[in-house]
Amino acid sequence: MKPGVDFAAVARLDLAEVVRSRWLAICLSLYAGLAGVFVAAGLRESGVIGFTGLGRALFSLCHTLVLLLPLVALVATGQVVNRARDEGTLELLMSQPIRRGRYLFAILAVRFAALALPLLAIFVLLGVVGAAWSGAGAAAGIATRASALCAALLFAFTSIGLLISVRVRSPARANAYVILCWLAGVALVDFALIGAMLRWQLQPRAVLLLAALNPVQDARLGLLSAGGVDLETLGPVGFYLVQTLGPNGLLALGVVWPTILGAAAFALALRAFRRFDLV
């Protein structure tokens, strides 16, 4: 078999599964619905305080997506391999001249593209409409930075979902791990960090370091770089971070660390998938 043929075959099969399960339509509807709600609110506000209302609406949309995208990615990938193992599809595919590594690479590529491409299309549309409406690049700048941050976040949690799918055979346990992973990224780390601050009175640099270990927090910090660098917009914490790291530093942190974390999670999933039994 020629190199890449097995990758393309698995990618076509998984893409057909994604289309059949309507994940593409669900993602596009979800992103478009959220964008419509926030942009409508921004346009209504813009009549009162000027066009800055749309920029603030995009900012709020991005913060909502940062909390929602990890759950969407985990649900989309948390049961791919273990379900194929239970149904016997995985054993049938591996009886063909298909390498295990290319199978998992194809699954990662298809699922990541299915989650990221509709979102990038929405951001491009919002950036073009915002630039045409205002004649300034504020909305386009926010959309560009948010696209990079959301893509990195999706890659991290898509890889983590695949790791759960490979390591956890029981679908019920996999669902529980998916929920726990999302809660740990979105809510529990905040509570743990606040508790640590109250208990040990940590220094600001230590708090920033602990927060930066969480990819969701990194995306939040990266979004701060898209706003205006003033105390009124960012608040005291955001203003301190922008002054400490700079807008480009926050953006790099929000893109690089989730990408590294996602690559590490996929490497662990690939190692386990190559070593574990297929049935």
Side-chain angles (χ1 to χ4, degrees):
M1 180 177 289
K2 294 181 180 179
V5 174
D6 50 352
F7 176 89
V10 174
R12 284 198 299 271
L13 285 174
D14 195 54
L15 180 60
E17 172 63 24
V18 168
V19 173
R20 185 166 54 248
S21 62
R22 300 180 181 176
W23 261 107
L24 281 173
I26 291 172
C27 290
L28 189 58
S29 301
L30 177 64
Y31 301 152
L34 285 174
V37 169
F38 280 97
V39 170
L43 290 176
R44 180 179 179 182
E45 188 180 356
S46 68
V48 180
I49 60 176
F51 193 75
T52 56
L54 184 55
R56 290 178 182 271
L58 280 175
F59 212 54
S60 301
L61 169 64
C62 296
H63 278 285
T64 302
L65 287 173
V66 163
L67 300 179
L68 185 63
L69 291 179
L71 180 61
V72 174
L74 289 169
V75 171
T77 54
Q79 294 199 13
V80 175
V81 176
N82 51 17
R83 186 175 58 211
R85 183 185 288 123
D86 288 344
E87 294 174 350
T89 309
L90 186 61
E91 185 179 8
L92 177 62
L93 285 174
M94 291 300 110
S95 66
Q96 306 299 318
I98 297 175
R99 295 184 180 180
R100 294 191 184 192
R102 288 179 181 169
Y103 170 85
L104 210 58
F105 270 115
I107 297 294
L108 174 69
V110 170
R111 299 286 168 155
F112 174 71
L115 294 171
L117 291 181
L119 182 61
L120 296 180
I122 294 292
F123 276 133
V124 169
L125 179 62
L126 290 177
V128 171
V129 171
W133 184 284
S134 66
I142 294 174
T144 302
R145 288 173 177 260
S147 298
L149 293 167
C150 290
L153 194 62
L154 279 174
F155 175 70
F157 281 91
T158 300
S159 299
I160 293 173
L162 276 180
L163 177 60
I164 293 173
S165 179
V166 171
R167 296 300 301 265
V168 182
R169 291 174 174 266
S170 168
R173 287 180 59 196
N175 278 334
Y177 282 119
V178 163
I179 298 299
L180 287 176
C181 186
W182 178 69
L183 287 175
V186 171
L188 295 182
V189 172
D190 280 347
F191 294 139
L193 191 58
I194 292 172
M197 291 170 58
L198 294 176
R199 176 65 179 83
W200 290 292
Q201 298 182 352
L202 299 177
Q203 295 296 319
R205 293 183 182 278
V207 175
L208 175 60
L209 178 61
L210 292 175
L213 296 177
N214 182 2
V216 177
Q217 296 286 14
D218 292 330
R220 287 177 175 174
L221 297 177
L223 285 175
L224 294 177
S225 66
V229 187
D230 56 74
L231 184 61
E232 180 184 1
T233 301
L234 300 178
V237 177
F239 187 75
Y240 166 78
L241 292 175
V242 171
Q243 293 298 318
T244 302
L245 297 179
N248 293 330
L250 287 178
L251 178 63
L253 177 66
V255 173
V256 173
W257 176 245
T259 303
I260 293 175
L261 188 64
F266 183 74
L268 291 175
L270 187 60
R271 181 173 180 269
F273 187 64
R274 283 172 170 164
R275 300 177 67 178
F276 285 2
D277 293 335
L278 295 177
V279 294

